[in-house]
Amino acid sequence: MTSFATISTAATAHHTNGSDVLSADQNIQWLNRNSCLTFCQQRRQKLLEDEADLKEMRDQLMRSQKTTFVNGLCTLSRDVKKLTVKEFNDKFGCDVVDMIRKQLASA
């Protein structure tokens, strides 16, 4: 029999990369300060790891976008490459210099 202060964490265990934050059969003694602190510490650590993973993913996606942008500029037809900046802006309705600045600034 389980006391009202002990709750199984089987339903709240989080799975990421095949590892559990908490063991599925681990019980938390919610009225025990050390048990709660341990649980919070584990959750905090997992949050920090998840944030680091998301930042790494974001950085990889940004590098990929920049590569795609540069490759797109390199594969322009000769006619487009021969345009002046003003002619390019008029023809495509954008400010190419501003676009490049924004792309470089996002690094």
Side-chain angles (χ1 to χ4, degrees):
M1 180 167 189
T2 305
S3 72
F4 72 92
T6 303
I7 299 174
S8 173
T9 59
T12 60
H14 295 277
H15 303 279
T16 301
N17 299 331
S19 65
D20 292 338
V21 172
L22 298 171
S23 168
D25 15 317
Q26 181 179 358
N27 290 325
I28 303 294
Q29 298 289 331
W30 293 108
L31 297 178
N32 179 319
R33 179 179 171 82
N34 289 335
S35 180
C36 290
L37 289 174
T38 300
F39 177 75
C40 289
Q41 171 70 27
Q42 290 171 338
R43 295 296 303 262
R44 231 178 260 116
Q45 183 61 35
K46 181 67 178 128
L47 174 66
L48 293 175
E49 291 170 6
D50 288 348
E51 285 177 343
D53 290 343
L54 287 171
K55 286 178 184 176
E56 178 62 29
M57 246 200 259
R58 178 204 61 202
D59 292 345
Q60 288 175 356
L61 288 171
M62 287 175 66
R63 282 191 294 273
S64 175
Q65 287 175 342
K66 287 179 185 179
T67 301
T68 302
F69 180 76
V70 169
N71 288 341
L73 288 177
C74 294
T75 57
L76 294 174
S77 68
R78 285 186 181 170
D79 294 339
V80 174
K81 286 181 181 178
K82 290 181 179 180
L83 294 174
T84 66
V85 172
K86 183 176 180 346
E87 291 170 337
F88 184 94
N89 292 347
D90 292 342
K91 183 172 183 172
F92 295 102
C94 64
D95 184 354
V96 71
V97 174
D98 187 50
M99 287 174 30
I100 293 171
R101 274 193 199 123
K102 287 179 182 176
Q103 192 67 26
L104 293 174
S106 67

